[in-house]
């Protein structure tokens, strides 16, 4: 089976690595163009491109797939299947219809739940106790194609976007390999999604990251975890400076919403609408990541202060 791989970020590189390790004939990789990164805005290749070049696989970075502009390359590579993992562009019909086995997408949710841009973040933020990865046959809709295989895993009380991402990547790569082998030998067959159960995971916005201390601590704890390590939930200190929260845990206490109730060895406790949160790791504006306890000891905050937007 000749595979054309389409993907861009780290999770896609993990899936590509799995395909290579399992001996698939990856005839090419399609990735987003290099982008400026960091404070110096250095033009940086995406992780899939880096891995593909290391393994001697041809890389293609078209600015657009519209108007059959990529069709000559497809004809030259002649893939049996196109494997897609977080590529970042909509695939037009001529790409979807080209390969013998179609286009197979690895989506990091239990479809039809959490279709769209931010399924891992939203699952954690919403307090889900379970998520997983799904392979599906792509169609012209957004994550609406027929399901091929699914693998579930639990979301623990302290899991974050980062831990769910890493688990999804590891499980997803193996599931993608299993799916392609099953398509080839006929043991994997597609079945339609229940569109009536579909939910949509919208892109994370700045408003999603703002901490509203009038909400219950349990709700805020899930949101903080779902936004860590990026883009991070935030509040503001009494001096108006931004305070991003990297990690927190549930605590006991009552007070005005946003009030710092007490100092503890590994952080400080903040009152919420119901219950409280222990802030453990934070990033004050203009500084690096630090212990919340160190922030209090440095007298930038004090017990009794109010955190608010």
């Amino acid at each position: 089976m000749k595979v054309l791989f389409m993907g861009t970020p780290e999770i896609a590189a993990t899936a590509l690595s799995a395909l290579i390790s399992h001996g698939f004939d990856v005839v090419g990789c399609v990735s987003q163009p290099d982008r400026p990164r960091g404070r110096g805005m250095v033009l940086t290749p995406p992780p899939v491109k880096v891995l593909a070049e290391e393994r001697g696989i041809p890389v293609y970075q078209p600015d657009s797939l519209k108007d059959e502009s990529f069709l000559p390359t497809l004809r030259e590579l002649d893939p049996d299947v196109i494997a897609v993992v977080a590529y970042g562009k909509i695939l037009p019909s001529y790409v979807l219809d080209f390969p013998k086995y179609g286009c197979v997408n690895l989506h990091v949710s239990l479809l039809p739940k959490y279709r769209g841009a931010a399924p891992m973040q939203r699952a954690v933020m919403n307090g889900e106790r379970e998520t997983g990865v799904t392979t599906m046959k792509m169609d012209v809709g957004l994550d609406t194609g027929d399901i091929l295989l699914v693998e579930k895993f639990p979301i623990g009380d302290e899991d974050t976007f980062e831990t769910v991402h890493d688990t999804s990547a590891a499980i997803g790569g193996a599931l993608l390999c299993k799916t392609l082998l099953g398509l080839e030998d006929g043991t994997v067959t597609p079945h339609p999604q229940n569109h009536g159960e579909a939910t949509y995971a919208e892109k994370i916005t700045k408003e999603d990251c703002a901490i509203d201390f009038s909400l219950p601590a349990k709700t805020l704890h899930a949101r903080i975890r779902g936004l860590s390590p990026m883009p991070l939930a935030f509040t503001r200190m009494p001096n108006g400076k931004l305070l991003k929260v990297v990690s927190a845990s549930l605590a006991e206490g009552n007070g005005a919403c946003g009030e710092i109730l007490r100092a503890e060895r590994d952080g400080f406790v903040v009152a919420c609408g119901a219950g409280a949160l222990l802030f453990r790791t934070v990033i004050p504006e203009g500084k690096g990541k630090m212990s919340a306890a160190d922030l209090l000891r440095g007298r930038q905050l004090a017990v009794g202060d109010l955190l608010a937007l």
Side-chain angles (χ1 to χ4, degrees), residues 107 109 113-123 199-204:
H107 186 75
S109 82
K113 291 183 70 174
Y114 295 109
R115 295 172 177 173
M120 292 178 284
Q121 295 99 317
R122 294 291 180 186
T199 60
Y200 184 67
E202 295 182 358
K203 183 178 179 180
I204 302 298

Side-chain angles (χ1 to χ4, degrees), residues 160-203:
T160 64
F161 167 40
E162 181 175 36
T163 60
V164 169
H165 171 280
D166 292 350
T167 302
S168 298
I171 293 176
L175 191 71
L176 181 60
C177 294
K178 183 178 179 181
T179 300
L180 297 188
L181 291 171
L183 284 175
E184 190 172 28
D185 65 20
T187 58
V188 171
T189 55
H191 60 277
Q193 295 188 39
N194 183 343
H195 301 297
E197 296 179 354
T199 60
Y200 184 67
E202 295 182 358
K203 183 178 179 180

Side-chain angles (χ1 to χ4, degrees), residues 2 25 40 49 87 108 160 201 214 216 251 255:
K2 293 194 297 182
D25 180 13
K49 178 182 179 180
Y87 172 49
V108 283
T160 64
S214 68

